[in-house]
Amino acid sequence: MCGIVGVLNTNGRVVNSDLIQKMATYLEHRGPDSRGHHVSGVLAFAHTRLKIMDLSDSSKQPMISPDGRFILNYNGEIYNFTELRNELRAEGWNFKSTGDTEVVLAAFAVWGKECITRFNGMFAFAIWDNIKKTLILARDRYGIKPLYISHVNGAVLFASEVKPFLYHPDFTCNMNKVALVEYLTFQNFFSDQTLFAGVNILEPGTFIEIDQNGKEITKELYWDFNFTDDHSINDYADSIDKLDHLLVQAVQRQLVADTEVGSYLSGGLDTGAITAIAAQHQSSIKTFTVGFDLTSAGGLELGFDERQQAEEISYLSGTEQYEIVLKAGDMERAMSDMVWHLEEPRVGQSYPNFYAAKLSSGFTKAVLCGTGGDELLGGYPWRYFVPDSAHSFEEYIDQYYLYWQRLLPNSMLNPMLSPIANDVSNVHTRDIMRNVFKQGNDAASSPEEFVNLAMYFEAKTFLHGLLTVSDKLSMAHGLETRIPFLDNDLVDFASRLPVRFKLKNFQENARIDENNLSVKNSTRNFERNDGKRLLRDMMEKHLPKSITTRPKHGFSGPDESWFKHESLEYVKKSVMGKDACIFSFLNREKLQAAVQQHLDGKENRRLFVWSVLYLEQWCQIFLNGNHPGTD
């Protein structure tokens, strides 16, 4: 697990060695164990390394093929590298290292870009072809590892994070106003836009080839989710056994390392499943839990602290358990560092993830986490929109757009955008949402087909946001996060499962306001343990039914209360005064009125309050230059 950065000068100038090394200083947190760089005329790579596989210098990067043709700059873990190594040996490759980095290099040298489809793992890499003079960039299927690209005057820049671009003399940091509208509509980015003007994120499952003049030769989506009911899967008991086999296999694959691997542990099913299985295959596994002080919390928030449930799973699994309790004020203390590392805001309130990684990094270099279980196996029943009627796919999108959980309705958001109205007049967020769906998805007619469309949408958007947060905030502490639910074999099986195997009441169109995380806050009789039916039943092999039937909870602190009480002065100081930086982009009166509704208890706008607090800190750090500095 590492940090990568590169510069391709498209104007023919040789890259300055000092420049690429200084750009890499912004990634030292991702790879504190060693650094390397390579300059080859117009092309320069730099690499910061976190040693997980092959702790020797044999896997140091950038790595060059024996014939000197290919230069690799790679970040990730390929869990099936041993099998691929054996295939490549049969092709005549003589390996000099024991890790997966050389396997990636050899696979590309032997199989070309087709090698990507053989990788089971997480990765973002760059390869320079010294003969063709082309730059190849690629990301894993799901987007676990990020890769950012920027075209500046006379150069193509890429990196694991945006921060290295700040050091390049031709990069200017500005707000992407179009992306701001996208974020304030969805609390996420559905496109490849980022908040940084001129910076895009390479889409998951995408391969791109760029020539030495900066022109795209090829851009290809080599893999995509395909949720569909496979009618050949009709035996529920057999599917339980198959899921059990695949999840155990995935956990075993991702426990392989030359350092100790721990596990996050909430009180929920996903991390509970992974912890229980991991404990059966690795002795003395360490687990890490974040709890919340609920002294000032009330109502629904009293269920947000899951330490008791996590401790029960730890006891049953025999893990070595470590915990941290977050209090009101911990958000403010972490905000500057967290925004610096996360860079682009994504789904939900992210500071608990920051503290979870900080805790874990004190004991291990790698952890398993439960991300992906909800998206694959139906963990969000209230999000799976099934229209009462839709005569066309476009009509379905119109209805789905109105149903989707957004920060604010357009009637409130549009007036708030008045300072930048002329710059974003052509932005249509409904079309941004429509563009998530690949062509040919307009054949849905049954409830099952609509649920599968919604699951595709969640995997392409919400999951990608979660993965970005997970990567950035774990790597902020030099910690690798592994995601067993996103094992290729498990994903391929889960995406073909019949909807009825995942959801108990999939025809119930039960909308839940995610500002209000109650077990029952919809207008219909709907239980939040209706989702992940197959996983719940499968996990009865590993955990008591009292755990497998628990309602789903989000990983969130009692911010609704904290914003109105202990954190009130922080909210007022950040966005309720007249001089906040964010008012260059958003109407002060409208923004403050929306925040005041929350503070007065008239509306629960905890997600919006969090978002504007983040955006203000982002402006202070990246536009005003008040960042914590290099690591």
Side-chain angles (χ1 to χ4, degrees):
M1 194 59 62
C2 312
I4 62 175
V5 59
V7 175
L8 172 62
N9 277 347
T10 57
N11 55 14
R13 288 188 298 185
V14 174
V15 181
N16 184 287
S17 177
D18 289 340
L19 172 64
I20 194 66
Q21 293 184 70
K22 288 178 179 177
M23 291 175 73
T25 61
Y26 284 105
L27 297 178
E28 285 183 342
H29 53 278
R30 297 185 70 93
D33 294 331
S34 69
R35 289 175 57 180
H37 72 281
H38 177 87
V39 178
S40 179
V42 299
L43 183 283
F45 285 165
H47 186 271
T48 62
R49 185 181 178 200
L50 179 67
K51 294 182 179 179
I52 302 292
M53 297 280 200
D54 186 2
L55 307 186
S56 74
D57 286 341
S58 298
S59 289
K60 189 175 181 179
Q61 295 187 57
M63 184 176 286
I64 305 174
S65 61
D67 61 3
R69 177 175 179 178
F70 299 109
I71 307 166
L72 172 68
N73 205 10
Y74 157 67
N75 168 33
E77 301 288 0
I78 305 300
Y79 301 116
N80 62 333
F81 77 97
T82 299
E83 297 95 312
L84 295 176
R85 180 198 302 276
N86 292 335
E87 290 185 54
L88 291 161
R89 277 201 179 110
E91 297 275 0
W93 195 277
N94 182 26
F95 285 91
K96 298 179 180 179
S97 65
T98 61
D100 61 332
T101 300
E102 190 178 2
V103 172
V104 173
L105 179 62
F108 190 88
V110 173
W111 298 318
K113 68 177 183 179
E114 299 303 320
C115 71
I116 301 172
T117 61
R118 299 177 180 231
F119 294 157
N120 189 347
M122 52 183 177
F123 59 85
F125 68 74
I127 290 179
W128 175 250
D129 186 332
N130 258 324
I131 292 180
K132 293 175 62 178
K133 303 299 180 185
T134 59
L135 175 67
I136 296 94
L137 303 173
R139 279 184 85 192
D140 62 71
R141 284 181 168 195
Y142 320 107
I144 302 173
K145 306 310 297 179
L147 189 61
Y148 296 90
I149 304 172
S150 182
H151 293 259
V152 298
N153 182 31
V156 177
L157 316 179
F158 72 86
S160 300
E161 299 178 8
V162 179
K163 286 184 286 293
F165 301 166
L166 301 177
Y167 195 85
H168 195 280
D170 292 319
F171 181 82
T172 302
C173 190
N174 290 312
M175 168 77 82
N176 181 344
K177 298 171 187 176
V178 172
L180 178 63
V181 178
E182 186 175 349
Y183 174 72
L184 287 173
T185 302
F186 305 115
Q187 205 190 26
N188 198 2
F189 300 102
F190 290 177
S191 68
D192 66 345
Q193 298 280 307
T194 73
L195 266 189
F196 298 84
V199 177
N200 297 83
I201 190 167
L202 185 64
E203 298 96 327
T206 299
F207 166 97
I208 187 172
E209 186 173 8
I210 302 171
D211 69 17
Q212 60 185 337
N213 298 315
K215 180 183 177 182
E216 283 186 14
I217 301 173
T218 304
K219 186 174 184 181
E220 175 184 336
L221 181 68
Y222 66 84
W223 185 89
D224 200 4
F225 288 98
N226 183 23
F227 287 95
T228 183
D229 280 23
D230 186 337
H231 298 296
S232 68
I233 302 176
N234 49 36
D235 188 318
Y236 189 76
D238 181 67
S239 294
I240 288 177
D241 292 339
K242 181 68 171 177
L243 179 62
D244 184 33
H245 166 74
L246 290 173
L247 185 55
V248 169
Q249 175 180 267
V251 171
Q252 287 181 300
R253 283 172 173 169
Q254 299 196 18
L255 284 171
V256 175
D258 292 325
T259 59
E260 186 178 2
V261 179
S263 182
Y264 288 140
L265 178 59
S266 69
L269 184 63
D270 296 334
T271 57
I274 288 169
T275 296
I277 293 170
Q280 296 168 18
H281 296 90
Q282 177 177 298
S283 61
S284 187
I285 189 169
K286 294 181 175 67
T287 49
F288 308 98
T289 298
V290 173
F292 299 96
D293 174 62
L294 302 178
T295 301
S296 63
L300 302 170
E301 294 177 329
L302 294 175
F304 282 13
D305 183 17
E306 296 185 89
R307 278 178 291 159
Q308 182 177 347
Q309 295 93 324
E311 288 164 2
E312 180 183 2
I313 297 172
S314 171
Y315 169 75
L316 293 170
S317 303
T319 75
E320 186 177 324
Q321 170 77 347
Y322 295 90
E323 298 176 349
I324 185 173
V325 182
L326 300 187
K327 303 175 292 298
D330 286 327
M331 177 190 67
E332 296 98 294
R333 281 184 279 274
M335 201 69 168
S336 180
D337 284 340
M338 189 201 68
V339 172
W340 172 247
H341 284 289
L342 183 53
E343 300 176 330
E344 48 173 342
R346 289 279 180 169
V347 292
Q349 285 128 300
S350 307
Y351 69 91
N353 306 71
F354 183 83
Y355 281 107
K358 184 177 182 179
L359 170 66
S360 305
S361 66
F363 298 90
T364 185
K365 284 186 173 183
V367 290
L368 306 176
C369 79
T371 306
D374 287 316
E375 290 75 18
L376 287 177
L377 295 164
Y380 308 118
W382 61 94
R383 292 185 187 167
Y384 304 145
F385 174 62
V386 178
D388 293 328
S389 64
H391 300 293
S392 69
F393 188 67
E394 299 304 323
E395 184 178 335
Y396 162 75
I397 293 295
D398 290 339
Q399 296 179 42
Y400 197 2
Y401 177 76
L402 295 175
Y403 180 90
W404 174 247
Q405 304 296 296
R406 302 192 300 275
L407 292 182
L408 295 172
N410 284 346
S411 60
M412 292 184 67
L413 178 58
N414 290 336
M416 198 177 296
L417 295 168
S418 60
I420 60 172
N422 291 336
D423 298 317
V424 299
S425 60
N426 293 324
V427 178
H428 303 288
T429 49
R430 180 268 185 202
D431 294 341
I432 291 174
M433 182 174 181
R434 168 64 179 87
N435 290 338
V436 171
F437 295 92
K438 56 189 176 182
Q439 295 298 319
N441 268 339
D442 55 357
S445 57
S446 68
E448 292 90 345
E449 289 171 330
F450 282 118
V451 170
N452 277 321
L453 276 180
M455 293 189 71
Y456 175 85
F457 177 78
E458 293 292 331
K460 294 290 285 187
T461 58
F462 196 76
L463 177 59
H464 187 223
L466 292 173
L467 294 174
T468 302
V469 170
S470 178
D471 173 84
K472 297 281 197 70
L473 296 188
S474 62
M475 294 305 289
H477 301 285
L479 179 73
E480 173 178 294
T481 302
R482 297 181 168 192
I483 307 177
F485 278 110
L486 296 185
D487 174 270
N488 288 359
D489 294 333
L490 179 54
V491 171
D492 291 344
F493 171 71
S495 60
R496 295 186 295 111
L497 284 169
V499 167
R500 69 182 187 278
F501 283 14
K502 299 176 183 180
L503 306 175
K504 292 181 182 177
N505 300 304
F506 62 87
Q507 297 192 56
E508 288 291 329
N509 184 5
R511 186 179 190 274
I512 288 181
D513 178 2
E514 293 190 3
N515 276 292
N516 187 5
L517 296 176
S518 66
V519 173
K520 287 184 180 180
N521 69 354
S522 69
T523 57
R524 303 190 185 190
N525 184 17
F526 174 75
E527 294 284 351
R528 294 187 71 198
N529 61 3
D530 276 3
K532 293 188 288 194
R533 176 190 173 199
L534 190 71
L535 180 63
R536 291 177 185 276
D537 290 344
M538 182 276 283
M539 281 310 299
E540 289 184 16
K541 297 183 177 183
H542 303 278
L543 292 169
K545 194 168 185 177
S546 59
I547 295 174
T548 64
T549 57
R550 284 175 183 159
K552 176 175 173 54
H553 289 275
F555 182 34
S556 177
D559 301 292
E560 177 190 355
S561 296
W562 286 352
F563 287 150
K564 291 185 288 188
H565 299 103
E566 290 93 334
S567 297
L568 177 61
E569 290 306 313
Y570 176 70
V571 174
K572 287 183 175 180
K573 180 181 177 181
S574 296
V575 297
M576 296 303 284
K578 65 179 181 179
D579 298 324
C581 179
I582 194 61
F583 298 141
S584 297
F585 308 98
L586 300 177
N587 181 285
R588 178 169 65 88
E589 179 183 345
K590 300 297 183 182
L591 185 154
Q592 291 181 344
V595 172
Q596 194 64 50
Q597 287 180 335
H598 181 90
L599 301 183
D600 292 342
K602 296 178 179 178
E603 295 284 346
N604 185 346
R605 300 201 185 281
R606 66 183 186 93
L607 297 180
F608 176 74
V609 175
W610 159 261
S611 295
V612 294
L613 289 174
Y614 189 106
L615 289 169
E616 173 60 22
Q617 189 69 61
W618 186 93
C619 290
Q620 294 292 342
I621 290 174
F622 291 105
L623 298 186
N624 292 352
N626 299 321
H627 58 73
T630 56
D631 301 85

